[in-house]
Amino acid sequence: MSALRVDPIACRAHGLCAELLPEAIDLDEWGYPVLRGGELPAGLLADARRAATACPALALRITTGR
Amino acid sequence: MRLLTDGPRTFAQHNAERGFVPWQRFSSRAALVDEVLASGLRGRGGGGFPTGLKLRAVTWRGPVVVANGCEGEPDSHKDHVLLSRSPHLVLDGMLVACHAIGAAEAVLCVHAGSPLLAGLIRALAERGPDANRIRIVEVPRRYVASEESALVNFLSGGDARPTTTPPRPTERGVDGRPTLVDNVETLAHLAIVARVGAEAFRAGETALVTTTGVHEVPVTTRLADLVTGPVLAGGYGGVWLSASRTGELTVAAAPGVAVFRSPQGCGLRDTAGILAYLAAESARQCGPCMFGLPAIAGDFAELAAEVPGHALERLRRRLPVVTGRGACAHPDGAVRMAASALDVFAAEVVAHTTGAGCTDAIRRTA
């Protein structure tokens, strides 16, 4: 039960997240991430962690619910 | 019991007229919270959240009550009228809220340089030591400054700009303490609930609305009895309603803050002006708001001014992209308002985009 979340204040539109996790993240026309939403498939969790670590603003979070 | 009196009252007159808050009836805080829950009172700042549940949510020690009297909504004047005509009712409500959550500290927030300040300071000075726990704070005059999390951040020594939630202020608010933020009108109602009880409150519940002026009306009043034609309900971040919708909705069911604005001239031009204001009032912290709102406002300005091009297509693409992607609801409200304008003024949109030309008399969309 994991999901992605962006801290919108911290995000600076570097765009690395969409590069590393295109299956779950698009960029809008200004370069800010748009999450496809919903649950993160287990198969993407490792890539998601990598993307969260790579974010220069540390604005990408992985939330583990319940 | 009504919120507004016909003129100012001293503290002594206020108590003689309304009676004292029956503190002895609420020796237990739970009894007070139960009464508020039974009253059905909901927040008037736009959220519409049951006030009793909010009181119940504050459980930790060292809580703070914050009364939001900033009224950042440019069209709304109800809080101003309430604070100038019935300041003691609001102060009573703050003390009732303090009692309900066990707070020793309460803050009344108004805009910096507000003409209300002198009267509020005078009202506070009239009261006995019970009001020593209340202080008045001046908040920067910005649209988003009185958003709940921005207010809490400012009172904690930070910028008057929204922060990411969670945590909600009821969990971690001013200086990390549990904080109840309520609109001043909600608190005034709270003072009435404490005096007359839940049942009598429900039977005579009123609301303050701003149309061309400020009026106190029963919450069961239909919007069509207050305004004619299409109307923007809920302030700049509200929604446009067609004339037929105002016939169905009551004040209680209306979205957001109780402000009802009839379009000034062409509804699309009116909306473009509001969007330009909202774009300029972005706190410029979150990309989708900082870049999205000016882009959408620009598209809307082109549509309103009948500039040939693809503004409408861009709007249809951009409006859904912004929602839910800011720290606060500022961008969400702006795009919802813009989208509702395209619906309600659909005939006008056609006239503006087909070369038929603006009719500048709002056609009611049935």
Side-chain angles (χ1 to χ4, degrees):
Chain A
M1 272 302 259
S2 301
L4 289 171
R5 201 171 61 81
V6 171
D7 178 340
I9 295 178
C11 175
R12 287 287 174 270
H14 292 93
L16 267 69
C17 55
E19 200 73 54
L20 294 169
L21 198 62
E23 300 88 345
I25 304 176
D26 300 308
L27 296 181
D28 66 16
E29 62 184 290
W30 305 287
Y32 288 84
V34 181
L35 306 179
R36 299 239 179 98
E39 205 180 319
L40 198 60
L44 285 180
L45 202 53
D47 282 351
R49 287 212 180 91
R50 210 165 298 132
T53 312
C55 172
L58 295 181
L60 185 66
R61 313 280 156 76
I62 299 162
T63 57
T64 344
R66 290 157 302 285
Chain B
M1 191 180 289
R2 293 173 72 82
L3 293 165
L4 297 179
T5 45
D6 51 14
R9 298 287 190 272
T10 65
F11 188 43
Q13 288 168 329
H14 162 82
N15 285 320
E17 240 171 61
R18 297 182 184 269
F20 289 93
V21 175
W23 298 110
Q24 64 290 346
R25 264 190 62 205
F26 301 115
S27 52
S28 104
R29 298 211 304 251
L32 175 55
V33 175
D34 287 344
E35 196 73 30
V36 177
L37 273 170
S39 77
L41 177 62
R42 288 170 179 274
R44 293 290 150 91
F49 193 76
T51 306
L53 289 181
K54 213 162 163 182
L55 292 171
R56 191 168 273 177
V58 182
T59 50
W60 280 90
R61 273 179 294 184
V64 185
V65 168
V66 175
N68 189 349
C70 293
E71 198 159 44
E73 199 57 62
D75 278 347
S76 183
H77 307 292
K78 69 176 185 74
D79 292 343
H80 183 96
V81 168
L82 176 67
L83 286 169
S84 58
R85 298 235 308 251
S86 304
H88 285 295
L89 198 62
V90 175
L91 297 171
D92 283 348
M94 290 173 73
L95 295 175
V96 171
C98 281
H99 181 59
I101 65 172
E105 199 184 323
V107 188
L108 173 55
C109 296
V110 292
H111 269 155
S114 166
L116 293 164
L117 278 161
L120 291 174
I121 291 166
R122 205 169 32 244
L124 211 47
E126 273 187 278
R127 302 176 72 111
D130 75 330
N132 286 352
R133 70 182 68 181
I134 298 176
R135 63 193 170 98
I136 300 170
V137 169
E138 297 180 60
V139 175
R141 304 181 64 87
R142 292 295 306 261
Y143 185 83
V144 293
S146 51
E147 187 270 341
E148 190 175 72
S149 69
L151 213 49
V152 164
N153 202 42
F154 179 71
L155 292 172
S156 307
D159 268 352
R161 298 203 292 179
T163 57
T164 42
T165 43
R168 302 216 64 80
T170 46
E171 295 160 36
R172 223 173 40 213
V174 176
D175 296 334
R177 296 151 65 187
T179 303
L180 178 87
V181 183
D182 265 325
N183 168 261
V184 286
E185 187 191 341
T186 308
L187 291 163
H189 284 296
L190 201 57
I192 292 177
V193 171
R195 280 186 170 90
V196 304
E199 208 171 320
F201 176 79
R202 286 182 98 102
E205 189 179 358
T206 61
L208 297 177
V209 302
T210 313
T211 51
T212 44
V214 174
H215 310 277
E216 181 171 6
V217 298
V219 290
T220 51
T221 310
R222 285 186 327 143
L223 300 189
D225 297 330
L226 298 170
V227 289
T228 48
V231 71
L232 176 57
Y236 284 14
V239 286
W240 285 100
L241 302 171
S242 65
S244 62
R245 285 287 284 138
T246 62
E248 301 160 1
L249 284 176
T250 60
V251 167
V257 194
V259 191
F260 305 101
R261 171 194 179 106
S262 296
Q264 291 146 25
C266 166
L268 297 181
R269 280 175 189 268
D270 203 27
T271 300
I274 294 171
L275 277 173
Y277 171 88
L278 291 175
E281 287 292 327
S282 167
R284 306 193 193 294
Q285 299 184 115
C286 310
C289 178
M290 180 173 21
F291 297 105
L293 292 195
I296 286 165
D299 293 340
F300 223 100
E302 286 186 23
L303 174 68
E306 300 167 79
V307 175
H310 302 281
L312 185 59
E313 287 144 61
R314 285 198 306 275
L315 275 175
R316 300 239 186 256
R317 191 182 72 239
R318 284 169 168 171
L319 285 173
V321 168
V322 172
T323 303
R325 293 176 55 224
C328 74
H330 182 66
D332 305 17
V335 303
R336 190 177 49 226
M337 192 277 297
S340 72
L342 295 181
D343 280 345
V344 168
F345 304 115
E348 203 58 38
V349 170
V350 172
H352 276 239
T353 49
T354 55
C358 175
T359 63
D360 208 5
I362 307 306
R363 296 236 185 87
R364 305 222 184 136
T365 42

